[in-house]
Amino acid sequence: MNFLKKIFKRNSLEKQQRKIQKERCKTWFKVNGDKTLRLDYNLSKSSIVLDLGGFKGDFAQEIYNRYSCEIHIFEPVLSFYNAINDRFIDNKKVTAYPFGLANEDKELYISNSNDASSVFIEGEGSEKIKLKSILKFIEEHNIIDVDLIKINIEGGEYEVLESLIADNKLSMFKNLQIQFHDFIIENAKERMSKIQQELAKTHVLTYQYEFVWENWKLKE
C-alpha cells in the first residue's frame, strides 16, 4: 500500500510539473520561438556552433540550412547519436559525437525519455552513457572562439556552465542559448541565478523565457 501511495504521489507531482511547464511555454509558443529566436543569429559559413543535447539533430539541421556553418553535436544516447550520424553522414561540416559534455569525464546511467532523457531522472530502459569534460574537449580540439553554444541537457547545464565560469571561459562564447531545468535539480533557481550573475559580467541577455529558453550575447 505504501508503495502504491508513493507511485501515486510521484505521478501527481509529475502531472503538476507538466502543467506548470505548459503554462511557461505559452508565451514562447506565441512568438514561435523555436523557429525565430532560437535560429536568428549573426552566423556565417566560418562560424562554429556547439550543440549540447542533439537529440535527433533537428536544431543542427535548421542552423546548417540557414548558415552552412561548422557544427559539433554531442549526443550520449546511442539511438539518438546513430540517427544524427546517419542524418549528417555526407556533410563534412557537421560532426556528431557519441558522448555528452559535462564538468568532468564520467559514465552515468540516463533515463530513456526521448527529448527529456536525463541522468537526473530514474526510469525504465536506462542506458549507460559517457560524458566528457567540456574544458578538455575545447583544449583538445584547439577551439578558441565559439559563435553559438546551445545547451539543452536536462539538468546537466548547471555543471557545464559552472565549470566554464570557474575556468574563466565564458567570454569565448559569442552566444549561449540555454534551457535551464528546475524540477529535476535541487536548488535550481539559486544555481541558475548565480550563473546568470556571472553571465551578466561578460554578456547581455537578448531574450529570456524562464526555464524555457534564454540567450546571452557577448558584450561588444
Side-chain angles (χ1 to χ4, degrees):
M1 187 65 177
N2 289 335
F3 176 75
L4 291 176
K5 283 184 177 179
K6 185 177 180 180
I7 294 296
F8 178 77
K9 183 177 181 180
R10 186 176 70 181
N11 289 341
S12 298
L13 179 60
E14 289 176 353
K15 185 177 180 180
Q16 182 182 8
Q17 291 171 347
R18 287 195 296 269
K19 185 177 180 180
I20 292 171
Q21 194 62 21
K22 185 177 180 180
E23 285 297 314
R24 288 172 173 170
C25 290
K26 281 184 177 179
T27 53
W28 175 258
F29 291 143
K30 190 174 182 179
V31 300
N32 197 22
D34 287 327
K35 297 295 182 181
T36 56
L37 296 173
R38 293 192 62 210
L39 304 176
D40 188 15
Y41 290 94
N42 184 24
L43 302 177
S44 66
K45 291 182 179 180
S46 61
S47 296
I48 295 177
V49 175
L50 303 186
D51 183 356
L52 279 60
F55 189 36
K56 296 181 180 179
D58 292 345
F59 175 76
Q61 186 72 70
E62 294 271 13
I63 289 293
Y64 183 80
N65 289 347
R66 284 196 179 204
Y67 307 107
S68 299
C69 49
E70 178 182 334
I71 306 176
H72 299 267
I73 310 174
F74 305 88
E75 179 49 65
V77 177
L78 185 59
S79 60
F80 299 154
Y81 162 76
N82 287 334
I84 295 170
N85 197 48
D86 290 344
R87 186 172 190 168
F88 296 104
I89 195 166
D90 295 322
N91 190 332
K92 294 182 180 180
K93 297 196 72 175
V94 180
T95 305
Y97 303 87
F99 55 83
L101 294 182
N103 60 329
E104 61 182 1
D105 294 349
K106 52 189 169 183
E107 293 186 353
L108 298 171
Y109 283 92
I110 190 169
S111 65
N112 191 350
S113 306
N114 289 315
D115 60 344
S117 299
S118 173
V119 297
F120 299 99
I121 300 175
E122 294 182 3
E124 296 181 1
S126 61
E127 68 176 83
K128 196 172 187 179
I129 61 166
K130 290 183 178 181
L131 301 176
K132 294 192 176 183
S133 163
I134 186 171
L135 297 175
K136 284 185 180 179
F137 181 87
I138 288 170
E139 181 180 1
E140 290 171 357
H141 289 77
N142 298 312
I143 297 175
I144 299 174
D145 295 305
V146 175
D147 295 275
L148 170 63
I149 180 171
K150 165 234 154 183
I151 308 175
N152 182 13
I153 47 179
E154 304 301 321
E157 63 276 6
Y158 295 96
E159 60 183 32
V160 164
L161 290 164
E162 287 163 354
S163 67
L164 291 173
I165 290 168
D167 208 53
N168 295 313
K169 286 290 192 297
L170 285 182
S171 60
M172 70 177 291
F173 299 95
K174 293 181 181 177
N175 283 279
L176 298 99
Q177 181 185 120
I178 310 164
Q179 184 172 95
F180 285 105
H181 299 78
D182 58 344
F183 302 129
I184 55 178
I185 297 293
E186 291 185 6
N187 302 321
K189 188 89 172 181
E190 180 182 351
R191 290 177 73 181
M192 179 179 71
S193 179
K194 289 181 178 179
I195 290 170
Q196 290 168 336
Q197 289 173 24
E198 292 298 321
L199 281 165
K201 295 177 182 179
T202 52
H203 293 69
V204 293
L205 188 65
T206 58
Y207 62 80
Q208 182 181 54
Y209 294 76
E210 190 173 70
F211 291 114
V212 181
W213 283 107
E214 61 189 64
N215 188 82
W216 295 82
K217 182 180 179 181
L218 188 66
K219 293 179 180 178
E220 298 181 354

